[in-house]
């Protein structure tokens, strides 16, 4: 019998390959060796899922008692080990770097809010907590996946208070809310720029910016204007001589 199993093949670990004995007319006696990894050793085109590199031999005996055999080696390539990096936490509006490894080609999913979804390293700026899956492919075309998550914390709703006014030589107490820690700018004329409610006793109209930081380390800002009114100048005219 004249037949062939074709050229040797390469597969990735966990994949399958259907072996086909071309040239058989039917009715031959078949003997596969080994049978491990074959779904059906009684047919000429079994599906092979070997766990390791394996050479399959098919022995054929036709109706005339003539015998022939052919070999097919299936190389099993190991899968790459994908690494999407550690989970991260950012504040809304921030940008972070995602770095993957383990292959020669990379694909991030989803690609929303990514600068480059096909690069090992890419900048990410999600506006909501997002789970990303990285698929890496090695030089043999085998792939593996890994997941990572970016938790997005909202920025605090910082409020610097309502605009106010005062007369020269008076003071006004500022009052910020919405955060845990505060920093006022500029600091001129403030009793303590690192508290939520410093006292302002300056001598000029000033727009203050307060930066509030919450328990997650996220920041936001708000402005308040304190208008300064100059004191009136008292004066009088002496009465005219009569």
């Amino acid at each position: 019998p004249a037949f062939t199993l074709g050229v040797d093949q390469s597969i990735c670990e966990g994949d399958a390959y259907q072996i086909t004995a071309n040239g058989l007319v039917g009715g031959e006696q078949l003997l596969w060796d080994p049978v491990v990894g074959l779904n059906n050793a009684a047919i000429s085109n079994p599906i092979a899922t070997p766990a390791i590199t394996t050479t399959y031999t098919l022995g054929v005996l036709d109706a005339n008692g003539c015998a022939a055999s052919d070999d097919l080696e299936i190389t099993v390539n190991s899968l790459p080990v994908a690494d999407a990096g550690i989970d991260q936490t950012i504040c809304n509006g921030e940008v972070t770097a995602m770095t993957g490894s383990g292959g020669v080609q990379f694909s991030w999913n989803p690609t929303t809010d990514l600068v480059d979804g096909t690069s090992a390293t890419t900048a990410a700026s999600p506006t909501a907590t997002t789970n990303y899956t990285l698929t890496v492919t090695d030089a043999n075309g085998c792939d593996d996946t890994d997941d990572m998550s970016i938790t997005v914390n909202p920025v605090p709703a910082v409020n610097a208070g309502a605009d106010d006014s005062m007369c020269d030589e008076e003071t006004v107490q500022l009052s910020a809310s919405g955060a845990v820690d505060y920093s006022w700018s500029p600091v001129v004329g403030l009793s303590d720029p690192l508290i939520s409610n410093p006292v302002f006793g300056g001598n000029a109209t000033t727009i203050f910016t307060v930066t509030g930081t919450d328990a997650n380390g996220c920041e936001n800002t708000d402005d308040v204007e304190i208008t300064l009114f100059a004191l009136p100048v008292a004066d009088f005219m002496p009465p005219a001589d009569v």
Side-chain angles (χ1 to χ4, degrees), residues 160 163 172 174 183-190 198-202 204-211 222-226:
D163 292 344
V172 168
L174 305 178
S183 176
W184 293 88
S185 178
V187 299
V188 176
L190 295 183
V199 173
F200 174 57
T205 295
T206 305
I207 297 176
F208 290 99
T209 298
V210 62
T211 300
D222 193 26
D223 297 333
V224 63
E225 181 176 21
I226 305 300

Side-chain angles (χ1 to χ4, degrees), residues 66-209:
C66 298
S69 66
D70 193 21
D71 297 331
L72 174 72
E73 182 180 56
I74 300 179
T75 300
V76 179
N77 294 310
S78 299
L79 299 180
V81 179
D83 185 0
I86 62 174
D87 294 342
Q88 300 187 47
T89 299
I90 64 173
C91 301
N92 193 12
E94 290 184 342
V95 178
T96 187
M98 297 177 9
T99 301
S101 62
V104 295
Q105 295 180 350
F106 303 86
S107 176
W108 295 94
N109 185 51
T111 58
T112 306
D113 303 313
L114 301 184
V115 171
D116 187 352
T118 60
S119 175
T121 299
T122 182
S125 55
T127 56
T129 296
T130 305
N131 295 317
Y132 292 95
T133 297
L134 173 66
T135 300
V136 301
T137 305
D138 63 14
N140 295 315
C142 300
D143 55 48
D144 187 34
T145 62
D146 190 30
D147 298 329
M148 67 90 66
S149 176
I150 298 180
T151 299
V152 180
N153 290 318
V155 296
V158 176
N159 186 353
D163 292 344
D164 204 348
S165 62
M166 67 181 191
C167 296
D168 195 11
E169 299 181 3
E170 291 182 346
T171 61
V172 168
Q173 187 168 38
L174 305 178
S175 181
S177 61
V180 176
D181 297 315
Y182 300 89
S183 176
W184 293 88
S185 178
V187 299
V188 176
L190 295 183
S191 60
D192 187 346
L194 300 180
I195 61 176
S196 64
N197 56 346
V199 173
F200 174 57
N203 55 10
T205 295
T206 305
I207 297 176
F208 290 99
T209 298

Side-chain angles (χ1 to χ4, degrees), residues 34-58:
V35 297
V36 176
L38 299 182
N39 71 324
N40 189 346
I43 60 177
S44 63
N45 59 342
I47 296 175
T49 54
I52 59 174
T53 296
T54 303
T55 299
Y56 289 99
T57 300
L58 175 61

Side-chain angles (χ1 to χ4, degrees), residues 8-28:
D8 294 340
Q9 299 292 320
S10 293
I11 64 173
C12 300
E13 182 181 348
D15 287 347
Y17 176 75
Q18 185 166 24
I19 306 174
T20 300
N22 295 301
L24 297 180
V25 297
E28 298 92 348

